Amino acid sequence: MSLDRFFLELLNVRISNPLFDKVIPAFSQVEYWKPLFVGIAVLILILRKKEGLFIIVGALLAFLLSENISSNLIKPLFNTSRPCEVYDWVRLLSSFCPKSPGFTSTHAANVFSITTFLGFFFPSFKIPLWCVASLVGFSRIYTGVHWPSDVVGGSLLGIGCAYLAHFLLIKLRKASCLMKR
């Protein structure tokens, strides 16, 4: 038995319970998260002013990188099936089994890109941010739409995109400061 199948069965079937069945799918619902992210962005702009704009632009850059690399490059390249397509014992807690390729989890990539980037500027919130990101990743497995390796791959992609966005924006900020002199 592969590790992917073992952890899928563990996280999708064996630990399932009525409470998780109600709560965990919410972590996969993007529409629930949009108002929270907009509120956080407004709060960052109010509290950090000019630097806040830099932080928001960086988080958006990290998000755009992870979204596009996952959806438009990696998914078509690997073209992997999803567990809800492969096994009939998978508990599908989503309204449908997505038809797009599974690897990488774009949900995991996006949430890890944003939370990792925010962690650079709010280090005391890094662990809570990563806990939320991990719950989103877990929810993709628990709801039966992703293999564990899809989520791990997406998480690593998102972290990498956050570091790349941070590196690029720091270089850009330094270059613009040099140009002003």
Side-chain angles (χ1 to χ4, degrees):
M1 176 187 310
S2 74
L3 280 177
D4 243 1
R5 186 178 187 279
F6 172 80
F7 282 108
L8 173 66
E9 189 175 338
L10 174 69
L11 299 175
N12 176 258
V13 177
R14 291 191 186 165
I15 68 165
S16 66
N17 62 71
L19 176 63
F20 278 16
D21 287 357
K22 290 215 184 293
V23 174
I24 298 301
F27 287 94
S28 282
Q29 301 301 318
V30 176
E31 60 271 11
Y32 295 150
W33 291 94
K34 284 180 184 175
L36 178 65
F37 279 128
V38 169
I40 290 170
V42 169
L43 190 61
I44 290 170
L45 288 170
I46 291 169
L47 296 175
R48 295 283 184 99
K49 305 203 181 359
K50 275 188 182 178
E51 186 191 29
L53 184 59
F54 178 81
I55 294 168
I56 299 306
V57 167
L60 284 172
L61 176 59
F63 167 80
L64 290 171
L65 285 168
S66 65
E67 174 72 28
N68 284 292
I69 292 171
S70 178
S71 295
N72 300 322
L73 181 66
I74 297 175
K75 281 182 184 261
L77 184 67
F78 286 91
N79 198 27
T80 60
S81 59
R82 293 173 181 262
C84 50
E85 297 173 305
V86 175
Y87 296 116
D88 17 343
W89 53 259
V90 169
R91 299 171 58 254
L92 182 63
L93 297 179
S94 177
S95 56
F96 64 96
C97 184
K99 296 301 175 207
S100 62
F103 186 82
T104 59
S105 167
T106 305
H107 276 74
N110 291 344
V111 74
F112 270 93
S113 70
I114 293 168
T115 56
T116 300
F117 190 87
L118 292 177
F120 294 138
F121 298 92
F122 305 99
S124 58
F125 289 100
K126 192 178 287 188
I127 291 174
L129 287 167
W130 272 35
C131 286
V132 169
S134 297
L135 279 169
V136 171
F138 168 70
S139 76
R140 305 306 289 161
I141 302 164
Y142 190 83
T143 58
V145 296
H146 276 293
W147 299 97
S149 61
D150 297 344
V151 171
V152 170
S155 302
L156 294 173
L157 173 63
I159 292 165
C161 288
Y163 273 89
L164 177 59
H166 186 256
F167 173 80
L168 293 173
L169 288 176
I170 294 297
K171 290 288 187 191
L172 185 63
R173 185 161 64 176
K174 284 180 183 175
S176 69
C177 287
L178 289 175
M179 286 184 206
K180 289 180 183 177
R181 290 183 183 169

